[in-house]
Amino acid sequence: MELVGEAVLTVVACFAALGLALALALAFVWGWGRSPLVTGGAGGALLAFLGYGGWELLRPAKPRWRGRLAGVAATAFAVAALFIAYGWSCSCS
């Protein structure tokens, strides 16, 4: 029973990861058809936000408190990195 449960969870996780990537790609294509400038700007802003999160997560520690934006950016970067790592190692095909 445990093996069946693990197999079901693996299949659901793989389809969820694939579905999320597909939804992101469809949103990009739809946005590009509406306004390439806004879509490119939103994509650039997302990459800058994730880059800021990576910097906040990996930079040398400072004795001051991190702000909310830095915490959210670091969390978003960590989640994106875990999603990419899982997708890379997932043998869904």
Side-chain angles (χ1 to χ4, degrees):
M1 189 65 181
E2 186 177 332
L3 183 64
V4 172
E6 187 175 330
V8 167
L9 284 177
T10 301
V11 168
V12 168
C14 283
F15 280 125
L18 182 63
L20 185 61
L22 184 64
L24 188 61
L26 286 175
F28 180 79
V29 168
W30 177 81
W32 191 265
R34 297 289 232 180
S35 174
L37 183 64
V38 172
T39 304
L46 179 64
L47 286 177
F49 183 70
L50 289 175
Y52 173 63
W55 169 251
E56 283 294 324
L57 195 63
L58 302 173
R59 73 182 171 110
K62 288 189 176 179
R64 64 181 183 92
W65 178 259
R66 279 189 191 170
R68 284 187 190 155
L69 181 64
V72 170
T75 303
F77 176 79
V79 168
L82 287 173
F83 178 73
I84 290 170
Y86 178 75
W88 197 280
S89 69
C90 183
S91 56
C92 301
S93 55

